[in-house]
Amino acid sequence: MTRYVSTRGGVAPVDFETAVLQGFAPDGGLYVPATIPRISPEQLHLWSRLEFVDLAFEIISQFIDPAVMAADDLHRLLAGSFRQFEHPDIIPVVPLKSRPDTYIMELFHGPTLSFKDVAMGFLVNTVDYFLDRNNDWISLVVATTGDTGPAAAHAALGKKHIQCWVLFPQGMISDEQARQMTTLKADNVHAVGVTGCTDGGDDLDRVLARMFADDDLKQRLKLSSVNSINWCRVMVQAVHYFYSYFRVVEQIGEKVAFAVPTGAFGNLFGGYLARSLGLPVEAFILANNQNAALHRTLSTGRFTRAEVKPSLSSAIDIGVPYNFWRYLYFACGGNSAQIRQWMADLQQKGVVELDAETAGAIRQGFLSASVSDQETLDTMARVYQSPDGYVMDPHTAVALTAAEKCTGRLAAGTKVICLATAHAAKFPDTVKKALAPQGRLPGQAQHNTIENAKNLSQNMHIWDLPELASALPQAMQSAALYKP
Ligand SMILES: *Cc1c(COP(=O)(O)O)cnc(C)c1O
């Protein structure tokens, strides 16, 4: 029976439903499975022939009791979650001609063209499934400075038990991203542009934190979030590591490397989970941009909070990589007293000094690099001008550049799979800067959904930051139509 425990050790083990609906554990920790099963090489052989949804079903079945979600329901929810992906392979893997043994794993063929679609669809479908069974509803609130809001809004479209609110700092996200939220036509999805956010997303986070801390409000409006710490998201993010592995190896057992552009360590924790399940991984290449909290931690054994400087790869501009706590929990042998101490250290002193043993453990099978904006632009231009002619988004370029910096430390001939986390059409300004300062944007950097959204009418609330704390709950109250 799969049970979940908190990294802080302060709650009795819970089932999958509770872990998903709660997000954070009540003690402020993150839910992790009490045990991770080990998949045999024979089993991997069988899995290697499966299509994406069937493979996802096998992997995710390892973590959900049939008593909590029947196998048929799980399969149906998974199929529904990936139906809107526009590529027949769902997550295709493309070999590069210009670099030997290098592949691009395209995670951006979902409805909002970023990696966030990979797990958000299944998470929201799963939440709606449990709410339906419990005759309940929620107000799903997401503050976004990039890809999470659009993914959540699309995933929530038309869901009977979910009123979804996506908030963004007006004028501080790209027009392309804003329109992915404001041009949706559904009664249960509400876009909110907030003016006067001098601190960007942090201003919104502060207002939401106060709302979530108000127990009365929280219960009356059934406030809930779907942030990147939700166990369901990291679990789904293990699947693409298996799927792409099976596409590139000659035989099961061959070791490959994955280069992953990371900010919050969510996607990378999915990779770590895949390796723990038995996927043969030579190394993960952790790719930071100039905000290199994780690269520094791996290099020095010191985990510090740092000021975030905006970069061209904005989705990974993150100061405190929250999912890293899950990795530290396993690296220190599941010692929750130690995790509590370290979390207090980070809070109070702004720095965690890892002991030598843990500092060594987190380096096992991990390489890392930090990539500047200039290097990002150079890589985008070089790959476009190479025989590949491939247009990549800035996050993908961070991964490929980090892979290039780390190849010398891999066994010769190791295949490297770079994770492409966004479609180039989401970052037209950066693509233009890198590839065509004077000319036209290449066709590959355009996408019909982005182009179509330019002609649709926008539908949104616009509130000034000081009025948000009263206007939002009021609007939520009047939208709270569903009374079980
Ligand atoms: C969210 C995101 C990432 C990083 O996600 P992590 O959870 O930090 O791994 C990378 N690239 C893009 C485009 C994203 O939207």
Side-chain angles (χ1 to χ4, degrees), residues 184-241:
L184 296 173
K185 303 278 177 284
D187 293 342
N188 74 323
V189 176
H190 316 268
V192 181
V194 183
T195 49
C197 295
T198 46
D199 266 354
D202 290 345
D203 286 325
L204 301 178
D205 288 339
R206 269 193 288 274
V207 175
L208 292 186
R210 275 202 299 279
M211 285 176 59
F212 275 81
D214 180 341
D215 276 333
D216 174 55
L217 192 70
K218 189 173 169 202
Q219 284 183 11
R220 189 158 47 84
L221 298 175
K222 295 184 180 285
L223 299 182
S224 180
S225 80
V226 284
N227 54 25
S228 74
I229 57 87
N230 197 294
W231 166 255
C232 189
R233 282 178 64 179
V234 295
M235 174 185 76
V236 177
Q237 285 160 199
V239 176
H240 48 257
Y241 291 90

Short mmCIF file of all heavy atoms in Angstrom, two decimals, residues 184-241:
data_model
loop_
_atom_site.label_atom_id
_atom_site.label_comp_id
_atom_site.label_asym_id
_atom_site.label_seq_id
_atom_site.Cartn_x
_atom_site.Cartn_y
_atom_site.Cartn_z
N LEU A 184 -9.50 32.80 -22.96
CA LEU A 184 -10.27 31.57 -22.76
C LEU A 184 -11.73 31.93 -22.53
O LEU A 184 -12.03 32.89 -21.83
CB LEU A 184 -9.74 30.82 -21.54
CG LEU A 184 -8.31 30.32 -21.67
CD1 LEU A 184 -7.85 29.75 -20.35
CD2 LEU A 184 -8.23 29.27 -22.76
N LYS A 185 -12.60 31.16 -23.10
CA LYS A 185 -14.02 31.46 -22.89
C LYS A 185 -14.61 30.34 -22.03
O LYS A 185 -15.04 29.33 -22.55
CB LYS A 185 -14.76 31.54 -24.23
CG LYS A 185 -14.17 32.57 -25.19
CD LYS A 185 -14.65 34.00 -24.89
CE LYS A 185 -14.02 35.03 -25.81
NZ LYS A 185 -12.62 35.37 -25.47
N ALA A 186 -14.58 30.50 -20.74
CA ALA A 186 -15.20 29.51 -19.86
C ALA A 186 -15.63 30.20 -18.58
O ALA A 186 -14.90 31.04 -18.05
CB ALA A 186 -14.22 28.38 -19.55
N ASP A 187 -16.82 29.82 -18.10
CA ASP A 187 -17.36 30.48 -16.91
C ASP A 187 -16.54 30.23 -15.66
O ASP A 187 -16.63 30.99 -14.71
CB ASP A 187 -18.79 29.96 -16.64
CG ASP A 187 -19.75 30.40 -17.74
OD1 ASP A 187 -19.38 31.35 -18.47
OD2 ASP A 187 -20.82 29.80 -17.87
N ASN A 188 -15.76 29.16 -15.66
CA ASN A 188 -15.07 28.82 -14.41
C ASN A 188 -13.59 29.23 -14.39
O ASN A 188 -12.86 28.85 -13.49
CB ASN A 188 -15.21 27.31 -14.14
CG ASN A 188 -14.33 26.49 -15.05
OD1 ASN A 188 -14.16 26.82 -16.22
ND2 ASN A 188 -13.73 25.44 -14.52
N VAL A 189 -13.15 29.95 -15.42
CA VAL A 189 -11.75 30.41 -15.43
C VAL A 189 -11.72 31.93 -15.46
O VAL A 189 -12.34 32.55 -16.34
CB VAL A 189 -10.98 29.84 -16.64
CG1 VAL A 189 -9.57 30.40 -16.68
CG2 VAL A 189 -10.93 28.32 -16.56
N HIS A 190 -11.06 32.53 -14.49
CA HIS A 190 -11.05 33.98 -14.34
C HIS A 190 -9.61 34.48 -14.37
O HIS A 190 -8.80 34.10 -13.52
CB HIS A 190 -11.68 34.38 -12.99
CG HIS A 190 -12.95 33.62 -12.69
ND1 HIS A 190 -14.20 34.09 -13.03
CD2 HIS A 190 -13.15 32.42 -12.10
CE1 HIS A 190 -15.12 33.22 -12.65
NE2 HIS A 190 -14.51 32.19 -12.08
N ALA A 191 -9.29 35.35 -15.33
CA ALA A 191 -7.96 35.95 -15.39
C ALA A 191 -8.00 37.28 -14.65
O ALA A 191 -8.97 38.03 -14.76
CB ALA A 191 -7.54 36.14 -16.84
N VAL A 192 -6.95 37.55 -13.91
CA VAL A 192 -6.87 38.80 -13.14
C VAL A 192 -5.53 39.46 -13.40
O VAL A 192 -4.48 38.93 -13.01
CB VAL A 192 -7.01 38.52 -11.62
CG1 VAL A 192 -6.95 39.84 -10.85
CG2 VAL A 192 -8.31 37.78 -11.30
N GLY A 193 -5.55 40.63 -14.05
CA GLY A 193 -4.33 41.40 -14.21
C GLY A 193 -4.25 42.40 -13.07
O GLY A 193 -5.20 43.11 -12.80
N VAL A 194 -3.11 42.42 -12.37
CA VAL A 194 -2.98 43.30 -11.21
C VAL A 194 -1.98 44.41 -11.55
O VAL A 194 -0.82 44.12 -11.90
CB VAL A 194 -2.54 42.52 -9.97
CG1 VAL A 194 -2.47 43.45 -8.76
CG2 VAL A 194 -3.49 41.37 -9.69
N THR A 195 -2.44 45.65 -11.45
CA THR A 195 -1.56 46.78 -11.77
C THR A 195 -0.83 47.24 -10.50
O THR A 195 -1.30 47.00 -9.39
CB THR A 195 -2.37 47.96 -12.35
OG1 THR A 195 -3.48 48.19 -11.49
CG2 THR A 195 -2.88 47.65 -13.74
N GLY A 196 0.29 47.88 -10.69
CA GLY A 196 1.03 48.47 -9.57
C GLY A 196 1.88 47.48 -8.79
O GLY A 196 2.21 47.71 -7.62
N CYS A 197 2.25 46.36 -9.41
CA CYS A 197 3.11 45.38 -8.73
C CYS A 197 4.57 45.77 -8.96
O CYS A 197 5.18 45.32 -9.93
CB CYS A 197 2.87 43.97 -9.26
SG CYS A 197 1.24 43.32 -8.95
N THR A 198 5.13 46.57 -8.08
CA THR A 198 6.53 46.96 -8.28
C THR A 198 7.47 45.79 -8.05
O THR A 198 8.55 45.72 -8.62
CB THR A 198 6.91 48.12 -7.34
OG1 THR A 198 6.42 47.80 -6.04
CG2 THR A 198 6.30 49.43 -7.81
N ASP A 199 7.04 44.84 -7.18
CA ASP A 199 7.86 43.66 -6.89
C ASP A 199 7.47 42.46 -7.74
O ASP A 199 7.80 41.32 -7.40
CB ASP A 199 7.73 43.28 -5.41
CG ASP A 199 8.83 43.91 -4.58
OD1 ASP A 199 9.73 44.52 -5.19
OD2 ASP A 199 8.79 43.78 -3.35
N GLY A 200 6.71 42.68 -8.80
CA GLY A 200 6.31 41.58 -9.68
C GLY A 200 5.49 40.53 -8.96
O GLY A 200 4.61 40.85 -8.16
N GLY A 201 5.82 39.26 -9.23
CA GLY A 201 5.07 38.15 -8.65
C GLY A 201 5.09 38.13 -7.13
O GLY A 201 4.14 37.63 -6.50
N ASP A 202 6.14 38.67 -6.52
CA ASP A 202 6.23 38.65 -5.05
C ASP A 202 5.08 39.41 -4.42
O ASP A 202 4.57 39.03 -3.35
CB ASP A 202 7.56 39.23 -4.57
CG ASP A 202 8.71 38.31 -4.91
OD1 ASP A 202 8.44 37.12 -5.24
OD2 ASP A 202 9.88 38.74 -4.87
N ASP A 203 4.65 40.52 -5.05
CA ASP A 203 3.51 41.29 -4.53
C ASP A 203 2.26 40.43 -4.47
O ASP A 203 1.50 40.47 -3.50
CB ASP A 203 3.24 42.51 -5.42
CG ASP A 203 4.28 43.61 -5.21
OD1 ASP A 203 4.74 43.76 -4.07
OD2 ASP A 203 4.62 44.30 -6.19
N LEU A 204 2.04 39.65 -5.53
CA LEU A 204 0.86 38.79 -5.57
C LEU A 204 0.98 37.68 -4.53
O LEU A 204 0.01 37.36 -3.84
CB LEU A 204 0.71 38.17 -6.97
CG LEU A 204 0.57 39.15 -8.13
CD1 LEU A 204 0.48 38.39 -9.45
CD2 LEU A 204 -0.67 40.01 -7.94
N ASP A 205 2.17 37.11 -4.42
CA ASP A 205 2.36 36.03 -3.45
C ASP A 205 2.05 36.49 -2.04
O ASP A 205 1.49 35.75 -1.23
CB ASP A 205 3.80 35.50 -3.51
CG ASP A 205 4.04 34.70 -4.79
OD1 ASP A 205 3.05 34.23 -5.38
OD2 ASP A 205 5.21 34.55 -5.19
N ARG A 206 2.42 37.75 -1.74
CA ARG A 206 2.16 38.26 -0.39
C ARG A 206 0.67 38.34 -0.11
O ARG A 206 0.21 37.94 0.96
CB ARG A 206 2.82 39.63 -0.20
CG ARG A 206 4.25 39.55 0.34
CD ARG A 206 4.75 40.90 0.80
NE ARG A 206 5.03 41.78 -0.33
CZ ARG A 206 6.19 41.80 -1.00
NH1 ARG A 206 7.18 41.01 -0.63
NH2 ARG A 206 6.37 42.61 -2.02
N VAL A 207 -0.11 38.86 -1.07
CA VAL A 207 -1.56 38.95 -0.88
C VAL A 207 -2.17 37.56 -0.72
O VAL A 207 -2.99 37.31 0.17
CB VAL A 207 -2.23 39.70 -2.06
CG1 VAL A 207 -3.75 39.69 -1.92
CG2 VAL A 207 -1.71 41.13 -2.13
N LEU A 208 -1.74 36.63 -1.57
CA LEU A 208 -2.30 35.28 -1.49
C LEU A 208 -1.92 34.60 -0.19
O LEU A 208 -2.73 33.91 0.42
CB LEU A 208 -1.84 34.44 -2.69
CG LEU A 208 -2.40 34.86 -4.05
CD1 LEU A 208 -1.99 33.86 -5.12
CD2 LEU A 208 -3.92 34.98 -4.01
N ALA A 209 -0.68 34.81 0.27
CA ALA A 209 -0.25 34.18 1.52
C ALA A 209 -1.15 34.65 2.66
O ALA A 209 -1.54 33.86 3.53
CB ALA A 209 1.21 34.52 1.81
N ARG A 210 -1.51 35.95 2.66
CA ARG A 210 -2.41 36.45 3.71
C ARG A 210 -3.80 35.83 3.59
O ARG A 210 -4.42 35.49 4.59
CB ARG A 210 -2.52 37.99 3.65
CG ARG A 210 -1.39 38.71 4.41
CD ARG A 210 -1.79 40.13 4.79
NE ARG A 210 -2.09 40.96 3.64
CZ ARG A 210 -1.15 41.57 2.89
NH1 ARG A 210 0.13 41.44 3.18
NH2 ARG A 210 -1.51 42.31 1.86
N MET A 211 -4.29 35.66 2.38
CA MET A 211 -5.60 35.03 2.20
C MET A 211 -5.58 33.58 2.68
O MET A 211 -6.50 33.13 3.36
CB MET A 211 -6.03 35.09 0.73
CG MET A 211 -6.51 36.47 0.30
SD MET A 211 -6.91 36.57 -1.49
CE MET A 211 -8.21 35.32 -1.63
N PHE A 212 -4.53 32.84 2.34
CA PHE A 212 -4.44 31.43 2.75
C PHE A 212 -4.25 31.30 4.26
O PHE A 212 -4.58 30.28 4.86
CB PHE A 212 -3.31 30.70 2.00
CG PHE A 212 -3.72 30.18 0.66
CD1 PHE A 212 -3.76 31.01 -0.46
CD2 PHE A 212 -4.10 28.86 0.50
CE1 PHE A 212 -4.16 30.53 -1.70
CE2 PHE A 212 -4.49 28.35 -0.74
CZ PHE A 212 -4.53 29.19 -1.85
N ALA A 213 -3.69 32.35 4.90
CA ALA A 213 -3.47 32.30 6.35
C ALA A 213 -4.76 32.62 7.13
O ALA A 213 -4.83 32.39 8.33
CB ALA A 213 -2.37 33.28 6.75
N ASP A 214 -5.77 33.14 6.44
CA ASP A 214 -7.04 33.48 7.07
C ASP A 214 -7.96 32.25 7.03
O ASP A 214 -8.59 31.96 6.01
CB ASP A 214 -7.66 34.66 6.29
CG ASP A 214 -9.00 35.10 6.85
OD1 ASP A 214 -9.64 34.31 7.59
OD2 ASP A 214 -9.42 36.23 6.55
N ASP A 215 -8.02 31.51 8.14
CA ASP A 215 -8.73 30.22 8.15
C ASP A 215 -10.19 30.33 7.72
O ASP A 215 -10.70 29.47 7.00
CB ASP A 215 -8.65 29.58 9.54
CG ASP A 215 -7.34 28.83 9.70
OD1 ASP A 215 -6.80 28.38 8.67
OD2 ASP A 215 -6.86 28.72 10.85
N ASP A 216 -10.83 31.40 8.18
CA ASP A 216 -12.25 31.58 7.86
C ASP A 216 -12.43 31.72 6.35
O ASP A 216 -13.22 31.02 5.72
CB ASP A 216 -12.77 32.81 8.61
CG ASP A 216 -14.18 33.13 8.21
OD1 ASP A 216 -15.03 32.22 8.34
OD2 ASP A 216 -14.43 34.26 7.74
N LEU A 217 -11.64 32.62 5.78
CA LEU A 217 -11.70 32.87 4.34
C LEU A 217 -11.36 31.60 3.56
O LEU A 217 -12.02 31.23 2.59
CB LEU A 217 -10.71 33.99 3.99
CG LEU A 217 -10.81 34.61 2.60
CD1 LEU A 217 -12.08 35.42 2.50
CD2 LEU A 217 -9.60 35.48 2.32
N LYS A 218 -10.30 30.94 4.03
CA LYS A 218 -9.80 29.76 3.35
C LYS A 218 -10.89 28.69 3.28
O LYS A 218 -11.08 28.04 2.25
CB LYS A 218 -8.57 29.23 4.08
CG LYS A 218 -7.86 28.14 3.34
CD LYS A 218 -6.56 27.75 4.00
CE LYS A 218 -6.06 26.48 3.34
NZ LYS A 218 -5.14 25.72 4.15
N GLN A 219 -11.63 28.53 4.37
CA GLN A 219 -12.66 27.48 4.38
C GLN A 219 -13.91 27.91 3.62
O GLN A 219 -14.51 27.12 2.90
CB GLN A 219 -13.02 27.14 5.82
CG GLN A 219 -11.92 26.28 6.41
CD GLN A 219 -12.22 25.82 7.80
OE1 GLN A 219 -13.34 25.96 8.29
NE2 GLN A 219 -11.21 25.29 8.46
N ARG A 220 -14.28 29.18 3.77
CA ARG A 220 -15.49 29.67 3.10
C ARG A 220 -15.33 29.58 1.58
O ARG A 220 -16.24 29.17 0.88
CB ARG A 220 -15.74 31.12 3.55
CG ARG A 220 -17.06 31.70 3.13
CD ARG A 220 -17.47 32.87 4.03
NE ARG A 220 -16.38 33.84 4.27
CZ ARG A 220 -16.08 34.83 3.43
NH1 ARG A 220 -16.75 35.00 2.33
NH2 ARG A 220 -15.08 35.66 3.72
N LEU A 221 -14.15 29.97 1.09
CA LEU A 221 -13.93 29.99 -0.36
C LEU A 221 -13.23 28.73 -0.85
O LEU A 221 -12.96 28.59 -2.03
CB LEU A 221 -13.11 31.22 -0.75
CG LEU A 221 -13.77 32.57 -0.43
CD1 LEU A 221 -12.83 33.72 -0.74
CD2 LEU A 221 -15.07 32.73 -1.21
N LYS A 222 -12.94 27.81 0.07
CA LYS A 222 -12.27 26.56 -0.26
C LYS A 222 -11.03 26.82 -1.13
O LYS A 222 -10.87 26.27 -2.23
CB LYS A 222 -13.24 25.62 -0.96
CG LYS A 222 -14.38 25.19 -0.03
CD LYS A 222 -15.30 24.19 -0.67
CE LYS A 222 -16.41 23.76 0.26
NZ LYS A 222 -15.96 22.83 1.31
N LEU A 223 -10.15 27.69 -0.61
CA LEU A 223 -8.94 28.08 -1.35
C LEU A 223 -8.00 26.90 -1.50
O LEU A 223 -7.77 26.13 -0.57
CB LEU A 223 -8.20 29.19 -0.60
CG LEU A 223 -8.95 30.50 -0.39
CD1 LEU A 223 -8.07 31.51 0.33
CD2 LEU A 223 -9.41 31.05 -1.73
N SER A 224 -7.42 26.79 -2.66
CA SER A 224 -6.52 25.69 -2.93
C SER A 224 -5.53 26.14 -4.01
O SER A 224 -5.82 27.04 -4.78
CB SER A 224 -7.36 24.51 -3.44
OG SER A 224 -6.55 23.42 -3.72
N SER A 225 -4.35 25.55 -4.04
CA SER A 225 -3.39 25.92 -5.08
C SER A 225 -2.84 24.67 -5.74
O SER A 225 -3.06 23.56 -5.26
CB SER A 225 -2.27 26.78 -4.50
OG SER A 225 -1.33 25.95 -3.88
N VAL A 226 -2.16 24.83 -6.82
CA VAL A 226 -1.57 23.67 -7.51
C VAL A 226 -0.11 23.95 -7.81
O VAL A 226 0.35 23.80 -8.92
CB VAL A 226 -2.29 23.35 -8.84
CG1 VAL A 226 -3.60 22.66 -8.59
CG2 VAL A 226 -2.48 24.61 -9.68
N ASN A 227 0.63 24.41 -6.79
CA ASN A 227 2.01 24.82 -7.09
C ASN A 227 2.92 23.62 -7.30
O ASN A 227 2.52 22.47 -7.20
CB ASN A 227 2.53 25.79 -6.04
CG ASN A 227 2.39 25.23 -4.66
OD1 ASN A 227 2.34 24.01 -4.50
ND2 ASN A 227 2.29 26.09 -3.68
N SER A 228 4.17 23.94 -7.61
CA SER A 228 5.08 22.90 -8.12
C SER A 228 5.50 21.91 -7.05
O SER A 228 6.18 20.94 -7.35
CB SER A 228 6.31 23.56 -8.74
OG SER A 228 7.15 24.06 -7.72
N ILE A 229 5.11 22.15 -5.79
CA ILE A 229 5.49 21.17 -4.77
C ILE A 229 4.49 20.03 -4.68
O ILE A 229 4.73 19.06 -3.98
CB ILE A 229 5.64 21.82 -3.37
CG1 ILE A 229 4.36 22.53 -2.93
CG2 ILE A 229 6.82 22.79 -3.34
CD1 ILE A 229 3.40 21.64 -2.23
N ASN A 230 3.36 20.12 -5.38
CA ASN A 230 2.36 19.05 -5.27
C ASN A 230 2.95 17.72 -5.74
O ASN A 230 3.52 17.62 -6.83
CB ASN A 230 1.12 19.41 -6.10
CG ASN A 230 -0.08 18.56 -5.70
OD1 ASN A 230 -0.08 17.35 -5.91
ND2 ASN A 230 -1.07 19.19 -5.11
N TRP A 231 2.81 16.69 -4.90
CA TRP A 231 3.40 15.40 -5.21
C TRP A 231 2.98 14.90 -6.59
O TRP A 231 3.76 14.32 -7.34
CB TRP A 231 3.04 14.35 -4.15
CG TRP A 231 3.35 12.98 -4.66
CD1 TRP A 231 2.48 12.03 -5.09
CD2 TRP A 231 4.67 12.44 -4.88
NE1 TRP A 231 3.15 10.93 -5.56
CE2 TRP A 231 4.49 11.16 -5.43
CE3 TRP A 231 5.96 12.92 -4.64
CZ2 TRP A 231 5.58 10.35 -5.77
CZ3 TRP A 231 7.04 12.10 -4.99
CH2 TRP A 231 6.84 10.84 -5.54
N CYS A 232 1.71 15.15 -6.93
CA CYS A 232 1.18 14.65 -8.20
C CYS A 232 2.01 15.17 -9.37
O CYS A 232 2.26 14.45 -10.34
CB CYS A 232 -0.27 15.06 -8.34
SG CYS A 232 -1.09 14.30 -9.74
N ARG A 233 2.45 16.42 -9.29
CA ARG A 233 3.22 16.97 -10.40
C ARG A 233 4.59 16.30 -10.52
O ARG A 233 4.99 15.89 -11.61
CB ARG A 233 3.37 18.50 -10.26
CG ARG A 233 2.08 19.22 -10.68
CD ARG A 233 2.15 20.72 -10.52
NE ARG A 233 3.14 21.37 -11.37
CZ ARG A 233 3.33 22.69 -11.40
NH1 ARG A 233 2.60 23.47 -10.62
NH2 ARG A 233 4.23 23.21 -12.18
N VAL A 234 5.31 16.16 -9.43
CA VAL A 234 6.65 15.55 -9.56
C VAL A 234 6.55 14.09 -9.99
O VAL A 234 7.40 13.60 -10.74
CB VAL A 234 7.52 15.70 -8.29
CG1 VAL A 234 7.84 17.15 -8.03
CG2 VAL A 234 6.88 15.08 -7.09
N MET A 235 5.50 13.41 -9.55
CA MET A 235 5.32 12.01 -9.94
C MET A 235 5.13 11.87 -11.45
O MET A 235 5.79 11.04 -12.09
CB MET A 235 4.09 11.46 -9.20
CG MET A 235 3.66 10.08 -9.57
SD MET A 235 2.12 9.66 -8.72
CE MET A 235 0.93 10.61 -9.67
N VAL A 236 4.27 12.70 -12.03
CA VAL A 236 4.04 12.63 -13.48
C VAL A 236 5.33 13.00 -14.22
O VAL A 236 5.62 12.48 -15.30
CB VAL A 236 2.89 13.57 -13.90
CG1 VAL A 236 2.71 13.56 -15.42
CG2 VAL A 236 1.59 13.17 -13.23
N GLN A 237 6.15 13.86 -13.62
CA GLN A 237 7.37 14.30 -14.27
C GLN A 237 8.46 13.23 -14.29
O GLN A 237 9.55 13.46 -14.80
CB GLN A 237 7.86 15.60 -13.62
CG GLN A 237 6.99 16.79 -14.06
CD GLN A 237 7.03 18.00 -13.15
OE1 GLN A 237 6.14 18.83 -13.22
NE2 GLN A 237 8.04 18.12 -12.30
N ALA A 238 8.19 12.04 -13.75
CA ALA A 238 9.15 10.94 -13.90
C ALA A 238 8.97 10.24 -15.24
O ALA A 238 9.91 9.63 -15.78
CB ALA A 238 8.98 9.92 -12.76
N VAL A 239 7.75 10.35 -15.81
CA VAL A 239 7.41 9.52 -16.97
C VAL A 239 8.27 9.86 -18.19
O VAL A 239 8.77 8.97 -18.87
CB VAL A 239 5.91 9.67 -17.32
CG1 VAL A 239 5.57 8.89 -18.59
CG2 VAL A 239 5.04 9.23 -16.15
N HIS A 240 8.48 11.15 -18.46
CA HIS A 240 9.19 11.48 -19.71
C HIS A 240 10.65 11.04 -19.71
O HIS A 240 11.24 10.88 -20.76
CB HIS A 240 9.03 12.97 -20.09
CG HIS A 240 9.29 13.96 -19.01
ND1 HIS A 240 8.28 14.62 -18.34
CD2 HIS A 240 10.44 14.44 -18.50
CE1 HIS A 240 8.81 15.47 -17.48
NE2 HIS A 240 10.13 15.38 -17.55
N TYR A 241 11.22 10.84 -18.53
CA TYR A 241 12.59 10.31 -18.49
C TYR A 241 12.61 8.88 -19.02
O TYR A 241 13.48 8.50 -19.82
CB TYR A 241 13.15 10.38 -17.07
CG TYR A 241 13.40 11.80 -16.61
CD1 TYR A 241 12.40 12.54 -15.95
CD2 TYR A 241 14.61 12.43 -16.86
CE1 TYR A 241 12.61 13.84 -15.55
CE2 TYR A 241 14.85 13.74 -16.45
CZ TYR A 241 13.84 14.44 -15.81
OH TYR A 241 14.06 15.73 -15.42
#
